[in-house]
Amino acid sequence: MVSFTDLSWAALLNYYKSNGDKRYLKLMSDKSFVHRLRTAPHEILPEELEQKLILDHVNIINFDLLVACRLAEQILKKIDKVQPEIRAIQDFSIVDVDPFDPRTIDCIQTIYRELSQVNGLWLTGVSKIAHVLNDQLLPIMGLDVIDRFPQIREQGFDGVSAWLKQIHVDAATITEDYRRKGFSGNPETYLSDHLGYTAKGIGKSLVKFLDEYYWIFYGEELPLPPKWIPCDKKDIAV
């Protein structure tokens, strides 16, 4: 069970480990680009997509993939194809989504599946692109995290529903713990404010903070909160 304290430690460690997550902030603060990507991908030139999404966010720099495989053009065509699915889930977040609704799950699986058909995109790259299409709902799937979910490893994107259900449960648990601790608002706004993201024009979503938690906890295998932090004896509950 993930607590708000766990999430906060992961967010702080990720902030310093990623140098303030500058690449992600740069992308998501470009609201014009993100909006066009979600609603009118035909208005985006391949060169713009390549620079802002593929190079800076997905982090693909292989020349053969970028040019010979016409990666940017392929991605734009797929995003245009799944416009109905993107619109159908645009108002959902990881907290309020119904992970048992077959129509919602079908839309999400379709988005991941179509993007996975782009030659040269691996699972993590696919999920990074899908996340930008709805950063409040669609999770990033790092390889270290996927290893913890055999449904995805064995079934590919047909197993994404199990992954989404787990994230939904973790998000609900964190939100409940946050409120039980007496904080107002929501955990993602609290963390965005205190880590300086809001001041830079972007508030991170709860699903993004959870991605950071999974990366730190599963990928880096760091205990959260760190058990080795020294404390005074008076701080230890009797």
Side-chain angles (χ1 to χ4, degrees):
M1 298 258 295
V2 186
S3 71
F4 177 61
T5 299
D6 298 337
L7 190 75
S8 301
W9 270 105
L12 181 63
L13 292 173
N14 177 77
Y15 179 89
Y16 287 106
K17 194 171 180 62
S18 66
N19 192 24
D21 219 353
K22 291 179 180 178
R23 283 191 172 189
Y24 182 80
L25 293 186
K26 180 181 177 182
L27 171 65
M28 299 307 295
S29 63
D30 190 343
K31 300 186 185 303
S32 172
F33 173 76
V34 172
H35 179 71
R36 284 181 289 131
L37 187 67
R38 294 174 177 178
T39 63
H42 58 276
E43 295 181 0
I44 297 176
L45 294 176
E47 294 78 11
E48 183 181 13
L49 186 92
E50 181 178 295
Q51 182 61 52
K52 295 181 177 180
L53 189 69
I54 300 176
L55 294 177
D56 284 353
H57 180 57
V58 182
N59 198 28
I60 293 178
I61 57 175
N62 185 292
F63 183 79
D64 288 336
L65 286 179
L66 294 173
V67 179
C69 294
R70 302 177 64 189
L71 193 60
E73 290 93 332
Q74 288 189 70
I75 292 172
L76 284 171
K77 287 180 181 178
K78 286 297 185 181
I79 294 177
D80 190 54
K81 183 177 180 180
V82 296
Q83 281 297 294
E85 287 77 16
I86 295 171
R87 287 193 295 270
I89 64 169
Q90 65 179 337
D91 295 328
F92 292 139
S93 74
I94 195 62
V95 174
D96 57 34
V97 70
D98 180 359
F100 296 95
D101 177 34
R103 293 172 297 179
T104 300
I105 293 300
D106 183 63
C107 285
I108 294 171
Q109 287 179 328
T110 297
I111 291 171
Y112 282 91
R113 189 181 302 112
E114 287 294 330
L115 288 172
S116 72
Q117 294 173 6
V118 174
N119 185 28
L121 274 186
W122 295 91
L123 186 58
T124 299
V126 167
S127 66
K128 282 186 174 183
I129 295 171
H131 173 76
V132 180
L133 299 177
N134 185 334
D135 64 301
Q136 300 291 325
L137 173 63
L138 300 180
I140 296 174
M141 300 179 185
L143 294 178
D144 292 323
V145 177
I146 291 169
D147 284 340
R148 306 282 176 163
F149 292 85
Q151 299 94 332
I152 297 176
R153 188 174 63 249
E154 297 167 5
Q155 303 175 39
F157 295 104
D158 289 334
V160 74
S161 59
W163 172 230
L164 191 73
K165 289 172 186 175
Q166 180 61 59
I167 300 177
H168 174 75
V169 169
D170 288 344
T173 301
I174 289 167
T175 302
E176 181 181 348
D177 183 49
Y178 175 83
R179 292 170 180 166
R180 186 169 55 246
K181 285 179 166 61
F183 295 109
S184 59
N186 57 60
E188 59 268 33
T189 300
Y190 180 95
L191 292 176
S192 292
D193 289 348
H194 284 76
L195 288 170
Y197 297 134
T198 305
K200 295 174 182 176
I202 180 69
K204 283 189 178 181
S205 66
L206 185 53
V207 77
K208 180 60 170 66
F209 281 121
L210 273 167
D211 165 63
E212 297 170 6
Y213 168 82
Y214 298 138
W215 177 53
I216 293 292
F217 188 72
Y218 292 129
E220 300 297 310
E221 298 184 344
L222 292 175
L224 296 169
K227 296 180 174 57
W228 45 262
I229 291 182
C231 61
D232 295 332
K233 291 182 178 180
K234 64 180 180 180
D235 295 327
I236 302 176
V238 178

